[in-house]
Amino acid sequence: MTVKTLAIASDHGGVELKSAIIDLLKGRGIEVSDLGTNGPASVDYPDFAQAVAKSIIDGKAEAGILVCGSGIGMSIAANRFPEVRAALVHDRLSAELCRQHNNANVLCLGARLLGEATALDCVDAFISTEFEGGRHEGRIAKMS
């Protein structure tokens, strides 16, 4: 995926990891829209998943990244939007496959489950892996 603009958000459980991801993305020349949250106060993850989804729907971002404690809540909330294909990943291979086979446009990560190095490796795979198309296109169409 050749991404030029990306929206990112987290809940309170993912603030630190989100910051490291932003540094990586900016270092790659990607325009990053940080949609919050930015502190340890408890917040509701669906609000941040919605913000990233709307950024994609409105054409302000080509893709998104969501971070919470487990990644589960964010992925469920983001997938409520038909234009979003959010994938919760745990390693480089799952990040590659979510792009190759599922054309995922939102990456979800669990800050409490992944070390920073693994999470950043997942981000690298997500932004550098293309959708294969072919036999997968019809499957993707059934989800839209």
Side-chain angles (χ1 to χ4, degrees):
M1 171 190 307
T2 306
V3 176
K4 293 181 181 158
T5 59
L6 190 140
I8 188 168
S10 71
D11 71 359
H12 52 280
V15 173
E16 289 181 29
L17 180 56
K18 179 182 68 142
S19 179
I21 293 168
I22 289 170
D23 290 345
L24 172 75
L25 295 170
K26 286 184 175 180
R28 301 277 178 88
I30 296 172
E31 181 183 327
V32 179
S33 178
D34 182 354
L35 303 178
T37 195
N38 296 308
S42 182
V43 295
D44 297 331
Y45 60 83
D47 298 335
F48 296 92
Q50 180 178 0
V52 167
K54 288 195 180 261
S55 184
I56 292 169
I57 293 165
D58 294 344
K60 295 177 183 174
E62 298 168 272
I65 297 177
L66 292 166
V67 186
C68 66
S70 68
I72 297 167
M74 284 291 201
S75 64
I76 292 170
N79 278 316
R80 293 181 56 231
F81 297 87
E83 300 88 349
V84 171
R85 290 172 307 283
L88 174 59
V89 305
H90 295 100
D91 54 30
R92 184 173 188 89
L93 179 59
S94 57
E96 290 171 345
L97 290 172
C98 84
R99 288 288 310 128
Q100 290 172 343
H101 295 185
N102 307 114
N103 200 18
N105 57 1
V106 175
L107 180 71
C108 297
L109 300 166
R112 294 183 185 132
L113 304 177
L114 299 176
E116 183 177 303
T118 299
L120 295 178
D121 195 34
C122 290
V123 171
D124 176 67
F126 180 74
I127 64 173
S128 64
T129 303
E130 297 296 329
F131 177 51
E132 288 181 353
R135 72 183 196 272
H136 304 292
E137 289 183 47
R139 297 168 184 160
I140 302 306
K142 289 181 179 184
M143 293 188 282
S144 298

